[in-house]
Amino acid sequence: MKSPDALIIGAGLSGLACARHLHRRGLDVQVLEASDRAGGRVRTNTVDGFKLDRGFQVMLTAYPEAQLELDYEVLDFHAFYDGAEVRYDGGFHRIADPFRHPFDAPKTLFSPVGTAADKMRVARIRQNLRRTTVPELMEREEHTALEALRERWGVSDNMINRFFRPFFGGIFFDRALGASSRMFEFLFKMFAEGQTVLPAGGMEQIPKQMRAHLPDDAVRLNATVDAVNEQTVTLESGEEMDAPAVVVAIEAPAASRLVGGIEPVEGRSTVCLYFSAPESPLDAPILVLNGDGVGPINNVAVPSDVAPGYAPDGRALVAAVVVGGPADDDEALRRAVRDQLVDWFGLQAGGWSHLDTVHVPYALPEQAPPFLSPPQREVRRRPGLYVCGDHRHNGSINGAIASGRAAARAAVDDCFTEAPAA
């Protein structure tokens, strides 16, 4: 069998992006994926006609790498409402983007979630970040997101605790907001400049589209890699494969086991509980946040309100997100989550059917400072060996794609200088 030009370990977003860029250069690539399908952490299972993403996930249309890599029209994105409902003190309080939902601005201004001055500060943050380029954001002094909110932007603890902790805590899987201020401001900018969306067919449609640009035999499934030695990759079966370029495109803990020296190796975890309901408890395709900070639920969404294909006709899909790895077993966690749903939405929630509890032990890399100092970690271990993934750039779809492209570029520079431009 002819050896490929590049062996890529892992068919997540980063590995697929790397493979696609090398393939564009006319190079022969072989992607080795340990699981039964491509996509890595971005996958969707079907249960009783419901589409259940592997944990609650969303796509931000403003991601610059995604705009280059993906065909948005074919993915058929459906958008969330630009804002959130905050559960606080026994009620729901709407926080809207006043630039996109001006008629909801009075509700936002007079809600108990932060002061009027806080709302003005948030508007100023939005405008400031929209005027600032991503490279400029990445040059700002790096603090935690919490420190940036308090000290750089002057946001009160009231607004932080009731809105920012559950909103960005659900993104970072860290309600303490210890993630990098650079990442916080990058994501805030992305929310301000684009929409928050779901593909009509579930989040796995994103890697499926990326996979479709490769030859049929370019991705080999159920192929677990046991070792990497120089340019030789050894599979669990004992089979050995060689290539001028080897790219390790897997999560940081697994990458560190194969090639060593990957930092940070720690990650953030989450659990998502999915329920089938006869109808949505919400009146808009909106995210619901736990502004009280009490109970296991951090946020709730109804994906079928956003993209109707997530649920069969006449049903609604409810997703309840728990940040971190709960100490309770699944049965105890399910009871606690259901009790909180009943408290929020009434007795009807007691009758919702539990579909699945999805644990994601490594949902994101740990992004506490100095994670983004520098903004990108080196993908080249040595000429011929490369490591990519969101742990090399940042914990996002954008970061994963960017890292894959960077690894492909480094491999071409080192090993394939005669390859035509993409």
Side-chain angles (χ1 to χ4, degrees):
M1 181 182 291
K2 176 181 177 290
S3 295
D5 295 310
L7 282 168
I8 300 169
I9 303 168
L13 298 187
S14 191
L16 291 172
C18 181
R20 185 179 182 188
H21 283 276
L22 290 173
H23 177 64
R24 283 173 174 167
R25 294 292 190 106
L27 299 170
D28 180 30
V29 298
Q30 179 70 77
V31 184
L32 303 172
E33 169 55 42
S35 72
D36 60 352
R37 61 191 193 260
R41 281 166 276 160
V42 184
R43 62 168 55 201
T44 306
N45 293 323
T46 301
V47 176
D48 296 339
F50 293 86
K51 292 181 173 65
L52 311 186
D53 292 326
R54 186 170 181 257
F56 178 63
Q57 304 178 35
V58 298
M59 163 72 186
L60 304 185
T61 60
Y63 282 150
E65 293 288 338
Q67 291 177 357
L68 294 172
E69 189 74 25
L70 304 176
D71 186 330
Y72 285 12
E73 184 175 354
V74 171
L75 286 168
D76 189 16
F77 285 137
H78 295 252
F80 281 82
Y81 177 93
D82 295 297
E85 291 280 2
V86 179
R87 176 71 178 186
Y88 173 69
D89 195 25
F92 292 101
H93 309 279
R94 183 157 297 188
I95 300 295
D97 182 337
F99 298 92
R100 292 175 175 170
H101 300 288
F103 292 110
D104 285 341
K107 293 181 184 177
T108 300
L109 187 63
F110 294 108
S111 78
V113 181
T115 64
D118 279 321
K119 315 299 171 45
M120 297 302 296
R121 290 186 188 100
V122 172
R124 284 198 294 271
I125 296 172
R126 183 187 191 277
Q127 295 303 92
N128 178 284
L129 296 180
R130 281 179 59 88
R131 292 193 302 265
T132 307
T133 67
V134 173
E136 288 170 342
L137 288 182
M138 295 299 168
E139 291 176 358
R140 288 179 173 176
E141 187 175 357
E142 188 178 23
H143 303 284
T144 67
L146 180 61
E147 289 168 338
L149 282 165
R150 283 176 172 165
E151 298 165 19
R152 180 177 296 162
W153 300 110
V155 179
S156 74
D157 282 349
N158 176 314
M159 188 72 177
I160 290 171
N161 293 335
R162 297 176 191 176
F163 177 77
F164 284 100
R165 284 193 192 278
F167 187 83
F168 280 94
I171 296 170
F172 298 132
F173 304 123
D174 172 23
R175 283 185 63 102
L177 300 180
S180 167
S181 58
R182 292 178 175 179
M183 190 59 185
F184 161 71
E185 292 179 353
F186 167 71
L187 288 172
F188 201 122
K189 177 179 175 68
M190 295 298 99
F191 281 113
E193 292 184 345
Q195 292 182 302
T196 305
V197 298
L198 295 173
M203 288 293 288
E204 193 173 337
Q205 295 305 309
I206 293 173
K208 279 186 174 181
Q209 185 182 96
M210 296 171 69
R211 166 68 181 86
H213 291 286
L214 298 171
D216 290 343
D217 60 354
V219 178
R220 181 174 166 182
L221 303 175
N222 301 305
T224 301
V225 172
D226 188 57
V228 175
N229 184 19
E230 296 297 329
Q231 300 312 117
T232 300
V233 171
T234 304
L235 276 64
E236 196 174 55
S237 63
E239 179 185 353
E240 293 185 344
M241 304 178 71
D242 297 280
V246 174
V247 182
V248 179
I250 52 182
E251 295 170 356
S256 194
R257 285 194 295 271
L258 279 183
V259 298
I262 303 299
E263 294 291 342
V265 74
E266 298 82 10
R268 290 282 172 177
S269 61
T270 183
V271 182
C272 184
L273 289 85
Y274 285 110
F275 297 88
S276 164
E279 61 183 8
S280 173
L282 307 177
D283 62 1
I286 194 168
L287 188 68
V288 182
L289 304 176
N290 183 351
D292 289 314
V294 177
I297 297 174
N298 181 76
N299 56 277
V300 168
V302 182
S304 55
D305 281 350
V306 182
Y310 267 72
D313 290 344
R315 302 297 295 180
L317 175 64
V318 180
V321 177
V322 179
V323 169
D328 292 339
D329 61 33
D330 279 2
E331 178 60 33
L333 179 63
R334 185 162 62 246
R335 288 196 302 269
V337 166
R338 190 185 293 278
D339 288 346
Q340 192 167 359
L341 291 172
V342 169
D343 179 54
W344 285 14
F345 301 115
L347 292 177
Q348 60 168 333
W352 295 346
S353 300
H354 175 253
L355 293 167
D356 200 5
T357 298
V358 180
H359 293 261
V360 190
Y362 185 96
L364 287 174
E366 174 57 61
Q367 299 182 89
F371 180 73
L372 288 177
S373 297
Q376 294 91 32
R377 288 175 169 77
E378 180 59 64
V379 296
R380 181 187 287 106
R381 298 302 298 272
R382 57 171 171 75
L385 179 62
Y386 312 89
V387 177
C388 62
D390 59 358
H391 53 91
R392 299 293 87 194
H393 273 55
N394 59 64
S396 67
I397 288 172
N398 191 79
I401 295 174
S403 181
R405 181 169 58 81
R409 186 169 58 244
V412 169
D413 290 345
D414 291 345
C415 308
F416 310 108
T417 54
E418 302 303 316

